[in-house]
Amino acid sequence: MSDTNSESGQGQRRHFLRDSLLLAGAVPAALAGALGQAIAGGSCQASRPLRIGVLGCGRRGLQLAKFALAAGPHFELTVLADLFPDRVQQFYRTMKGQFSDQVSVSNAGKLIGSEATELIAASDVDAVLIATLPTCHARQIQRLVDGGKHVYAENPIATDAMGLRKVQEASRLAAEQNTCLQVGLQHRFQDFYTQAIQQLHSGIIGTPVRAEVFVTRTQLPGSRSAGVQNERLRDWRSDPELGRDLELESSVGSLDLIQWAIGCSPHDAICEIGAGGLGSHDSVVNYRCPNGFTLRYHEIVKPGGRHQSRHFVYGSHGWCDLDRSKIFDKNDRMMWASGLQVPDSSAAMEQFCRCLVQRVLQFESTVQTSCVEEAFRATSIALLGQLARRRAGQVVSSDELVTGLA
């Protein structure tokens, strides 16, 4: 009798896992049959929820946690980590109110202070979502991958050459131990952009010759924030020093989109600041590629300005507005349009959940999920532009970054 009941209980858990994941769309349709067979046949080892931890309990971390739990009822939030206890408490109350059955964070699962990374690495969570200060990302990625965790990290993955080396090492280790390492390059997983990129790769605009990126961002305060270091970390986005990483974050996403579209990395860059009608805080970085392709990255700074970005690619037969997913000929007549709506920002997290399910259920991964190599290239280009801004008017070679990565 006990064997029968036990077998019945295992079967119920398997059916629950299969049904909850498939109904929630946490795995692609191509995996549905195989997933059902594995669970029904007993090869699946996951008879418990997949435990999620969040490192960084600010606005971005909250958004990522909501996306993760919305991916399916078999994802459970069990650990929260942040420097500030009030943020952890507010985060917990918000998530518990919206996902009451999927939030199981005990007092022991609320990790506070500078040792939070070490504590979450030593915890029993399956996966960690990183949404902390950008300067911490590389170190945290490396430590969590070392701890055997599946990791989702927001951009930028690093803020200097040393950090990029750490992420490279972590990526190799993740591949060796078959854990997911996902980077939040949202557009890589959105049909709105993918279809336009496919059209460009088919040659619809001829040979690409140049690209233009226009980024508008808010102006940071002109002086160091008052108060102790912890208070500066609490409001780092408004800090004149710590907030500079926001520039890098926006640059990485834009530069990856262009690099994806034209498949060429620049060999040098030169920056103009406050010249030719530019404001004193505005800049244009001119990137040059080996095949003669040029990229002009315009950064426009406005007090209280809302972040916006536009991306254009020009070819010998026409041009593409990537942010409208439309392509025009040289006479500005529309040749192609995707017809899709502008996507939301949950696509990369959905892909991470698919990867997590595949790895935990011991399936061979069927989709490219990490984007670490792409993030590495885009971050390298962004760091080249950052260096060019510091040396305005001077040509800066990509060899200087390569030397730093050696």
Side-chain angles (χ1 to χ4, degrees):
M1 180 72 71
S2 61
D3 289 342
T4 302
N5 289 339
S6 175
E7 188 173 344
S8 175
Q10 290 176 1
Q12 289 175 355
R13 284 194 297 272
R14 290 171 189 154
H15 285 300
F16 168 73
L17 178 58
R18 177 194 62 199
D19 295 342
S20 64
L21 291 175
L22 295 181
L23 289 174
V27 293
L31 281 177
L35 178 59
Q37 291 173 9
I39 296 173
S43 61
C44 171
Q45 301 300 313
S47 60
R48 59 165 178 78
L50 304 180
R51 295 184 287 255
I52 302 292
V54 178
L55 183 55
C57 294
R59 181 177 55 192
R60 184 72 59 86
L62 185 64
Q63 182 184 48
L64 294 179
K66 289 179 179 180
F67 288 155
L69 296 194
H74 206 69
F75 293 94
E76 182 180 45
L77 182 63
T78 61
V79 174
L80 301 176
D82 197 276
L83 281 174
F84 305 102
D86 60 312
R87 282 191 171 176
V88 170
Q89 285 300 114
Q90 180 59 46
F91 192 108
Y92 172 77
R93 287 194 294 268
T94 300
M95 291 299 295
K96 191 67 175 176
Q98 295 186 30
F99 300 90
S100 58
D101 295 336
Q102 292 174 263
V103 177
S104 302
V105 183
S106 65
N107 287 335
K110 298 174 182 177
L111 310 178
I112 312 297
S114 59
E115 298 301 315
T117 301
E118 291 297 322
L119 294 172
I120 201 170
S123 71
D124 64 354
V125 297
D126 298 297
V128 179
L129 316 181
I130 299 177
T132 55
L133 186 71
T135 52
C136 301
H137 287 179
R139 174 178 57 82
Q140 291 169 339
I141 289 171
Q142 186 178 51
R143 179 65 189 93
L144 292 169
V145 171
D146 284 346
K149 307 303 182 188
H150 302 279
V151 176
Y152 179 99
E154 277 296 339
N155 272 314
I157 55 173
T159 56
D160 55 28
M162 183 179 295
L164 285 175
R165 283 201 303 273
K166 291 179 180 179
V167 176
Q168 277 185 319
E169 294 167 1
S171 179
R172 285 193 289 267
L173 178 58
E176 291 171 4
Q177 63 190 18
N178 199 33
T179 52
C180 304
L181 173 55
Q182 172 74 40
V183 180
L185 293 177
Q186 300 293 342
H187 48 257
R188 288 273 177 175
F189 306 103
Q190 296 167 333
D191 289 341
F192 180 86
Y193 291 106
T194 300
Q195 291 185 13
I197 298 294
Q198 289 173 343
Q199 290 294 318
L200 293 178
H201 289 175
S202 74
I204 190 172
I205 65 169
T207 303
V209 294
R210 67 184 175 91
E212 302 267 354
V213 176
F214 296 87
V215 174
T216 302
R217 65 172 181 82
T218 187
Q219 183 175 342
L220 295 171
S223 59
R224 178 184 286 265
S225 303
V228 297
Q229 181 70 6
N230 271 5
E231 290 307 310
R232 293 182 62 208
L233 292 172
R234 178 187 289 276
D235 192 26
W236 68 268
R237 290 175 178 271
S238 300
D239 188 272
E241 295 179 9
L242 301 176
R244 287 176 186 157
D245 290 332
L246 287 174
E247 304 169 22
L248 191 62
E249 178 182 354
S250 62
S251 296
V252 169
S254 290
L255 291 169
D256 177 65
L257 185 56
I258 296 299
Q259 203 280 335
W260 181 24
I262 56 100
C264 180
S265 296
H267 57 68
D268 64 35
I270 186 170
C271 177
E272 308 167 30
I273 295 181
L278 295 173
S280 60
H281 295 283
D282 300 343
S283 65
V284 177
V285 176
N286 293 288
Y287 294 96
R288 295 185 298 180
C289 298
N291 61 356
F293 185 91
T294 59
L295 163 62
R296 286 174 60 84
Y297 186 98
H298 306 253
E299 187 173 76
I300 303 157
V301 181
K302 294 181 178 179
R306 179 171 165 264
H307 177 80
Q308 294 178 314
S309 58
R310 296 297 305 276
H311 310 83
F312 304 92
V313 178
Y314 299 88
S316 55
H317 302 323
W319 59 281
C320 176
D321 183 340
L322 284 166
D323 302 290
R324 295 166 62 199
S325 200
K326 294 181 179 180
I327 296 175
F328 304 83
D329 66 16
K330 295 181 72 172
N331 295 315
D332 297 334
R333 293 185 295 242
M334 189 167 67
M335 295 192 291
W336 176 88
S338 72
L340 299 174
Q341 297 295 315
V342 178
D344 62 28
S345 57
S346 64
M349 177 55 66
E350 291 171 0
Q351 193 78 341
F352 176 70
C353 290
R354 292 188 182 101
C355 174
L356 183 59
V357 168
Q358 289 171 353
R359 301 296 170 84
V360 171
L361 302 189
Q362 300 177 359
F363 285 108
E364 181 180 354
S365 182
T366 59
V367 288
Q368 196 282 331
T369 55
S370 72
C371 282
V372 176
E373 291 184 10
E374 292 83 353
F376 182 90
R377 286 195 295 269
T379 304
S380 297
I381 299 170
L383 290 173
L384 179 64
Q386 200 175 66
L387 187 58
R389 289 186 187 92
R390 288 201 294 266
R391 301 182 189 173
Q394 301 178 32
V395 176
V396 177
S397 170
S398 59
D399 291 340
E400 296 185 51
L401 287 179
V402 172
T403 301
L405 290 170

mmCIF file of all heavy atoms in Angstrom, residues 170-203:
data_model
loop_
_atom_site.group_PDB
_atom_site.id
_atom_site.type_symbol
_atom_site.label_atom_id
_atom_site.label_comp_id
_atom_site.label_asym_id
_atom_site.label_seq_id
_atom_site.Cartn_x
_atom_site.Cartn_y
_atom_site.Cartn_z
ATOM 1 N N ALA A 170 34.226 32.853 -15.965
ATOM 2 C CA ALA A 170 32.957 32.323 -15.456
ATOM 3 C C ALA A 170 32.160 31.637 -16.561
ATOM 4 O O ALA A 170 31.531 30.600 -16.331
ATOM 5 C CB ALA A 170 32.135 33.449 -14.827
ATOM 6 N N SER A 171 32.203 32.205 -17.760
ATOM 7 C CA SER A 171 31.479 31.627 -18.891
ATOM 8 C C SER A 171 32.033 30.253 -19.238
ATOM 9 O O SER A 171 31.277 29.306 -19.512
ATOM 10 C CB SER A 171 31.571 32.557 -20.104
ATOM 11 O OG SER A 171 30.890 32.005 -21.213
ATOM 12 N N ARG A 172 33.338 30.120 -19.230
ATOM 13 C CA ARG A 172 33.953 28.822 -19.509
ATOM 14 C C ARG A 172 33.555 27.792 -18.445
ATOM 15 O O ARG A 172 33.238 26.647 -18.764
ATOM 16 C CB ARG A 172 35.474 28.956 -19.593
ATOM 17 C CG ARG A 172 35.969 29.603 -20.875
ATOM 18 C CD ARG A 172 37.464 29.417 -21.033
ATOM 19 N NE ARG A 172 38.215 30.236 -20.073
ATOM 20 C CZ ARG A 172 38.676 31.452 -20.338
ATOM 21 N NH1 ARG A 172 38.452 32.005 -21.526
ATOM 22 N NH2 ARG A 172 39.360 32.126 -19.421
ATOM 23 N N LEU A 173 33.564 28.212 -17.180
ATOM 24 C CA LEU A 173 33.198 27.299 -16.104
ATOM 25 C C LEU A 173 31.732 26.892 -16.199
ATOM 26 O O LEU A 173 31.382 25.721 -15.993
ATOM 27 C CB LEU A 173 33.476 27.939 -14.744
ATOM 28 C CG LEU A 173 33.093 27.112 -13.506
ATOM 29 C CD1 LEU A 173 33.818 25.773 -13.517
ATOM 30 C CD2 LEU A 173 33.397 27.888 -12.229
ATOM 31 N N ALA A 174 30.857 27.851 -16.515
ATOM 32 C CA ALA A 174 29.425 27.541 -16.653
ATOM 33 C C ALA A 174 29.199 26.496 -17.746
ATOM 34 O O ALA A 174 28.385 25.582 -17.587
ATOM 35 C CB ALA A 174 28.639 28.811 -16.959
ATOM 36 N N ALA A 175 29.938 26.617 -18.851
ATOM 37 C CA ALA A 175 29.809 25.634 -19.930
ATOM 38 C C ALA A 175 30.284 24.261 -19.476
ATOM 39 O O ALA A 175 29.657 23.237 -19.789
ATOM 40 C CB ALA A 175 30.612 26.092 -21.150
ATOM 41 N N GLU A 176 31.372 24.233 -18.711
ATOM 42 C CA GLU A 176 31.931 22.961 -18.238
ATOM 43 C C GLU A 176 30.984 22.255 -17.268
ATOM 44 O O GLU A 176 30.825 21.036 -17.311
ATOM 45 C CB GLU A 176 33.280 23.193 -17.553
ATOM 46 C CG GLU A 176 34.392 23.613 -18.507
ATOM 47 C CD GLU A 176 35.648 24.032 -17.759
ATOM 48 O OE1 GLU A 176 35.665 23.927 -16.506
ATOM 49 O OE2 GLU A 176 36.612 24.476 -18.422
ATOM 50 N N GLN A 177 30.337 23.036 -16.390
ATOM 51 C CA GLN A 177 29.474 22.419 -15.374
ATOM 52 C C GLN A 177 28.000 22.406 -15.776
ATOM 53 O O GLN A 177 27.135 22.002 -15.000
ATOM 54 C CB GLN A 177 29.646 23.124 -14.027
ATOM 55 C CG GLN A 177 29.233 24.586 -14.021
ATOM 56 C CD GLN A 177 29.648 25.302 -12.740
ATOM 57 O OE1 GLN A 177 30.517 24.835 -12.003
ATOM 58 N NE2 GLN A 177 29.023 26.436 -12.466
ATOM 59 N N ASN A 178 27.734 22.850 -17.033
ATOM 60 C CA ASN A 178 26.381 22.803 -17.596
ATOM 61 C C ASN A 178 25.381 23.631 -16.794
ATOM 62 O O ASN A 178 24.250 23.205 -16.532
ATOM 63 C CB ASN A 178 25.882 21.362 -17.704
ATOM 64 C CG ASN A 178 24.714 21.225 -18.674
ATOM 65 O OD1 ASN A 178 24.637 21.948 -19.665
ATOM 66 N ND2 ASN A 178 23.811 20.306 -18.397
ATOM 67 N N THR A 179 25.805 24.816 -16.377
ATOM 68 C CA THR A 179 24.885 25.751 -15.732
ATOM 69 C C THR A 179 24.610 26.922 -16.673
ATOM 70 O O THR A 179 25.430 27.248 -17.533
ATOM 71 C CB THR A 179 25.453 26.289 -14.403
ATOM 72 O OG1 THR A 179 26.776 26.813 -14.621
ATOM 73 C CG2 THR A 179 25.514 25.185 -13.363
ATOM 74 N N CYS A 180 23.464 27.546 -16.507
ATOM 75 C CA CYS A 180 23.074 28.669 -17.360
ATOM 76 C C CYS A 180 23.763 29.952 -16.894
ATOM 77 O O CYS A 180 23.773 30.241 -15.696
ATOM 78 C CB CYS A 180 21.568 28.903 -17.296
ATOM 79 S SG CYS A 180 20.571 27.483 -17.723
ATOM 80 N N LEU A 181 24.283 30.705 -17.833
ATOM 81 C CA LEU A 181 24.748 32.063 -17.558
ATOM 82 C C LEU A 181 24.143 32.946 -18.627
ATOM 83 O O LEU A 181 24.522 32.889 -19.796
ATOM 84 C CB LEU A 181 26.271 32.142 -17.593
ATOM 85 C CG LEU A 181 26.885 33.547 -17.476
ATOM 86 C CD1 LEU A 181 26.380 34.253 -16.215
ATOM 87 C CD2 LEU A 181 28.411 33.481 -17.477
ATOM 88 N N GLN A 182 23.135 33.709 -18.244
ATOM 89 C CA GLN A 182 22.359 34.521 -19.180
ATOM 90 C C GLN A 182 22.633 35.997 -18.939
ATOM 91 O O GLN A 182 22.712 36.444 -17.792
ATOM 92 C CB GLN A 182 20.866 34.244 -18.985
ATOM 93 C CG GLN A 182 19.940 35.160 -19.756
ATOM 94 C CD GLN A 182 19.939 34.809 -21.222
ATOM 95 O OE1 GLN A 182 19.961 33.636 -21.578
ATOM 96 N NE2 GLN A 182 19.908 35.804 -22.076
ATOM 97 N N VAL A 183 22.790 36.760 -20.020
ATOM 98 C CA VAL A 183 22.978 38.213 -19.937
ATOM 99 C C VAL A 183 21.755 38.891 -20.539
ATOM 100 O O VAL A 183 21.221 38.449 -21.562
ATOM 101 C CB VAL A 183 24.259 38.651 -20.674
ATOM 102 C CG1 VAL A 183 24.440 40.158 -20.568
ATOM 103 C CG2 VAL A 183 25.471 37.937 -20.096
ATOM 104 N N GLY A 184 21.317 39.991 -19.922
ATOM 105 C CA GLY A 184 20.075 40.639 -20.316
ATOM 106 C C GLY A 184 20.154 41.502 -21.553
ATOM 107 O O GLY A 184 19.836 42.693 -21.493
ATOM 108 N N LEU A 185 20.556 40.927 -22.686
ATOM 109 C CA LEU A 185 20.480 41.632 -23.975
ATOM 110 C C LEU A 185 19.092 41.365 -24.550
ATOM 111 O O LEU A 185 18.889 40.449 -25.344
ATOM 112 C CB LEU A 185 21.575 41.141 -24.920
ATOM 113 C CG LEU A 185 23.018 41.469 -24.513
ATOM 114 C CD1 LEU A 185 24.003 40.856 -25.499
ATOM 115 C CD2 LEU A 185 23.244 42.978 -24.420
ATOM 116 N N GLN A 186 18.124 42.170 -24.134
ATOM 117 C CA GLN A 186 16.718 41.885 -24.410
ATOM 118 C C GLN A 186 16.418 41.712 -25.895
ATOM 119 O O GLN A 186 15.707 40.788 -26.303
ATOM 120 C CB GLN A 186 15.843 43.022 -23.841
ATOM 121 C CG GLN A 186 15.956 43.223 -22.353
ATOM 122 C CD GLN A 186 15.398 42.072 -21.552
ATOM 123 O OE1 GLN A 186 14.630 41.264 -22.067
ATOM 124 N NE2 GLN A 186 15.786 41.982 -20.294
ATOM 125 N N HIS A 187 16.959 42.611 -26.738
ATOM 126 C CA HIS A 187 16.572 42.600 -28.143
ATOM 127 C C HIS A 187 16.995 41.322 -28.858
ATOM 128 O O HIS A 187 16.436 40.970 -29.893
ATOM 129 C CB HIS A 187 17.166 43.817 -28.854
ATOM 130 C CG HIS A 187 18.610 44.031 -28.587
ATOM 131 N ND1 HIS A 187 19.073 44.999 -27.721
ATOM 132 C CD2 HIS A 187 19.704 43.384 -29.045
ATOM 133 C CE1 HIS A 187 20.393 44.943 -27.677
ATOM 134 N NE2 HIS A 187 20.802 43.978 -28.464
ATOM 135 N N ARG A 188 17.979 40.605 -28.318
ATOM 136 C CA ARG A 188 18.430 39.359 -28.942
ATOM 137 C C ARG A 188 17.332 38.300 -28.966
ATOM 138 O O ARG A 188 17.411 37.339 -29.736
ATOM 139 C CB ARG A 188 19.643 38.807 -28.187
ATOM 140 C CG ARG A 188 20.921 39.593 -28.394
ATOM 141 C CD ARG A 188 21.661 39.101 -29.609
ATOM 142 N NE ARG A 188 22.869 39.879 -29.872
ATOM 143 C CZ ARG A 188 23.730 39.585 -30.832
ATOM 144 N NH1 ARG A 188 23.512 38.541 -31.609
ATOM 145 N NH2 ARG A 188 24.798 40.332 -31.027
ATOM 146 N N PHE A 189 16.307 38.450 -28.121
ATOM 147 C CA PHE A 189 15.262 37.443 -28.003
ATOM 148 C C PHE A 189 13.899 37.983 -28.436
ATOM 149 O O PHE A 189 12.874 37.386 -28.133
ATOM 150 C CB PHE A 189 15.193 36.956 -26.552
ATOM 151 C CG PHE A 189 16.518 36.480 -26.034
ATOM 152 C CD1 PHE A 189 17.265 37.272 -25.190
ATOM 153 C CD2 PHE A 189 17.024 35.256 -26.410
ATOM 154 C CE1 PHE A 189 18.498 36.852 -24.711
ATOM 155 C CE2 PHE A 189 18.251 34.818 -25.947
ATOM 156 C CZ PHE A 189 18.997 35.613 -25.098
ATOM 157 N N GLN A 190 13.889 39.094 -29.151
ATOM 158 C CA GLN A 190 12.628 39.729 -29.527
ATOM 159 C C GLN A 190 12.470 39.706 -31.045
ATOM 160 O O GLN A 190 13.310 40.228 -31.779
ATOM 161 C CB GLN A 190 12.590 41.166 -29.000
ATOM 162 C CG GLN A 190 12.612 41.231 -27.473
ATOM 163 C CD GLN A 190 12.878 42.631 -26.935
ATOM 164 O OE1 GLN A 190 13.508 43.449 -27.597
ATOM 165 N NE2 GLN A 190 12.417 42.897 -25.727
ATOM 166 N N ASP A 191 11.363 39.114 -31.517
ATOM 167 C CA ASP A 191 11.124 39.005 -32.956
ATOM 168 C C ASP A 191 11.093 40.364 -33.636
ATOM 169 O O ASP A 191 11.425 40.488 -34.820
ATOM 170 C CB ASP A 191 9.802 38.276 -33.212
ATOM 171 C CG ASP A 191 9.880 36.799 -32.874
ATOM 172 O OD1 ASP A 191 11.012 36.269 -32.793
ATOM 173 O OD2 ASP A 191 8.819 36.174 -32.685
ATOM 174 N N PHE A 192 10.675 41.383 -32.900
ATOM 175 C CA PHE A 192 10.610 42.743 -33.437
ATOM 176 C C PHE A 192 11.962 43.143 -34.033
ATOM 177 O O PHE A 192 12.025 43.729 -35.120
ATOM 178 C CB PHE A 192 10.211 43.695 -32.303
ATOM 179 C CG PHE A 192 10.095 45.142 -32.708
ATOM 180 C CD1 PHE A 192 8.916 45.628 -33.245
ATOM 181 C CD2 PHE A 192 11.162 46.018 -32.535
ATOM 182 C CE1 PHE A 192 8.800 46.968 -33.613
ATOM 183 C CE2 PHE A 192 11.057 47.353 -32.892
ATOM 184 C CZ PHE A 192 9.871 47.826 -33.434
ATOM 185 N N TYR A 193 13.041 42.844 -33.322
ATOM 186 C CA TYR A 193 14.383 43.154 -33.821
ATOM 187 C C TYR A 193 14.948 42.027 -34.686
ATOM 188 O O TYR A 193 15.618 42.268 -35.686
ATOM 189 C CB TYR A 193 15.335 43.428 -32.650
ATOM 190 C CG TYR A 193 15.031 44.707 -31.925
ATOM 191 C CD1 TYR A 193 14.437 44.690 -30.661
ATOM 192 C CD2 TYR A 193 15.314 45.945 -32.503
ATOM 193 C CE1 TYR A 193 14.145 45.880 -29.994
ATOM 194 C CE2 TYR A 193 15.021 47.128 -31.844
ATOM 195 C CZ TYR A 193 14.439 47.087 -30.594
ATOM 196 O OH TYR A 193 14.148 48.249 -29.942
ATOM 197 N N THR A 194 14.693 40.787 -34.294
ATOM 198 C CA THR A 194 15.258 39.650 -35.019
ATOM 199 C C THR A 194 14.859 39.662 -36.486
ATOM 200 O O THR A 194 15.694 39.430 -37.379
ATOM 201 C CB THR A 194 14.806 38.324 -34.373
ATOM 202 O OG1 THR A 194 15.254 38.273 -33.027
ATOM 203 C CG2 THR A 194 15.363 37.130 -35.130
ATOM 204 N N GLN A 195 13.599 39.958 -36.789
ATOM 205 C CA GLN A 195 13.138 39.961 -38.172
ATOM 206 C C GLN A 195 13.819 41.060 -38.986
ATOM 207 O O GLN A 195 14.186 40.849 -40.147
ATOM 208 C CB GLN A 195 11.622 40.117 -38.221
ATOM 209 C CG GLN A 195 10.874 38.898 -37.702
ATOM 210 C CD GLN A 195 9.371 39.018 -37.873
ATOM 211 O OE1 GLN A 195 8.868 39.886 -38.590
ATOM 212 N NE2 GLN A 195 8.632 38.132 -37.215
ATOM 213 N N ALA A 196 14.009 42.234 -38.382
ATOM 214 C CA ALA A 196 14.691 43.326 -39.087
ATOM 215 C C ALA A 196 16.151 42.959 -39.358
ATOM 216 O O ALA A 196 16.678 43.211 -40.452
ATOM 217 C CB ALA A 196 14.607 44.614 -38.275
ATOM 218 N N ILE A 197 16.810 42.359 -38.381
ATOM 219 C CA ILE A 197 18.207 41.955 -38.552
ATOM 220 C C ILE A 197 18.329 40.908 -39.655
ATOM 221 O O ILE A 197 19.255 40.942 -40.477
ATOM 222 C CB ILE A 197 18.780 41.401 -37.232
ATOM 223 C CG1 ILE A 197 18.775 42.480 -36.136
ATOM 224 C CG2 ILE A 197 20.188 40.853 -37.437
ATOM 225 C CD1 ILE A 197 19.672 43.643 -36.379
ATOM 226 N N GLN A 198 17.396 39.974 -39.696
ATOM 227 C CA GLN A 198 17.411 38.959 -40.750
ATOM 228 C C GLN A 198 17.296 39.595 -42.125
ATOM 229 O O GLN A 198 17.960 39.165 -43.085
ATOM 230 C CB GLN A 198 16.287 37.952 -40.522
ATOM 231 C CG GLN A 198 16.513 37.027 -39.338
ATOM 232 C CD GLN A 198 15.310 36.162 -39.023
ATOM 233 O OE1 GLN A 198 14.189 36.439 -39.468
ATOM 234 N NE2 GLN A 198 15.526 35.104 -38.249
ATOM 235 N N GLN A 199 16.465 40.624 -42.245
ATOM 236 C CA GLN A 199 16.346 41.331 -43.518
ATOM 237 C C GLN A 199 17.654 42.010 -43.903
ATOM 238 O O GLN A 199 18.078 41.969 -45.069
ATOM 239 C CB GLN A 199 15.217 42.373 -43.434
ATOM 240 C CG GLN A 199 13.818 41.804 -43.373
ATOM 241 C CD GLN A 199 13.430 41.090 -44.652
ATOM 242 O OE1 GLN A 199 13.722 41.562 -45.753
ATOM 243 N NE2 GLN A 199 12.744 39.964 -44.518
ATOM 244 N N LEU A 200 18.316 42.632 -42.927
ATOM 245 C CA LEU A 200 19.604 43.272 -43.209
ATOM 246 C C LEU A 200 20.633 42.245 -43.653
ATOM 247 O O LEU A 200 21.401 42.475 -44.597
ATOM 248 C CB LEU A 200 20.099 44.021 -41.970
ATOM 249 C CG LEU A 200 19.292 45.246 -41.541
ATOM 250 C CD1 LEU A 200 19.889 45.856 -40.276
ATOM 251 C CD2 LEU A 200 19.254 46.294 -42.654
ATOM 252 N N HIS A 201 20.661 41.099 -42.993
ATOM 253 C CA HIS A 201 21.625 40.051 -43.345
ATOM 254 C C HIS A 201 21.339 39.456 -44.719
ATOM 255 O O HIS A 201 22.237 38.911 -45.366
ATOM 256 C CB HIS A 201 21.612 38.957 -42.283
ATOM 257 C CG HIS A 201 22.210 39.387 -40.981
ATOM 258 N ND1 HIS A 201 22.209 38.585 -39.853
ATOM 259 C CD2 HIS A 201 22.835 40.539 -40.618
ATOM 260 C CE1 HIS A 201 22.802 39.224 -38.862
ATOM 261 N NE2 HIS A 201 23.187 40.409 -39.300
ATOM 262 N N SER A 202 20.089 39.566 -45.188
ATOM 263 C CA SER A 202 19.740 39.052 -46.519
ATOM 264 C C SER A 202 20.206 39.980 -47.634
ATOM 265 O O SER A 202 20.147 39.620 -48.805
ATOM 266 C CB SER A 202 18.220 38.852 -46.625
ATOM 267 O OG SER A 202 17.542 40.098 -46.750
ATOM 268 N N GLY A 203 20.653 41.203 -47.256
ATOM 269 C CA GLY A 203 21.165 42.146 -48.251
ATOM 270 C C GLY A 203 20.151 43.120 -48.791
ATOM 271 O O GLY A 203 20.386 43.764 -49.822
#
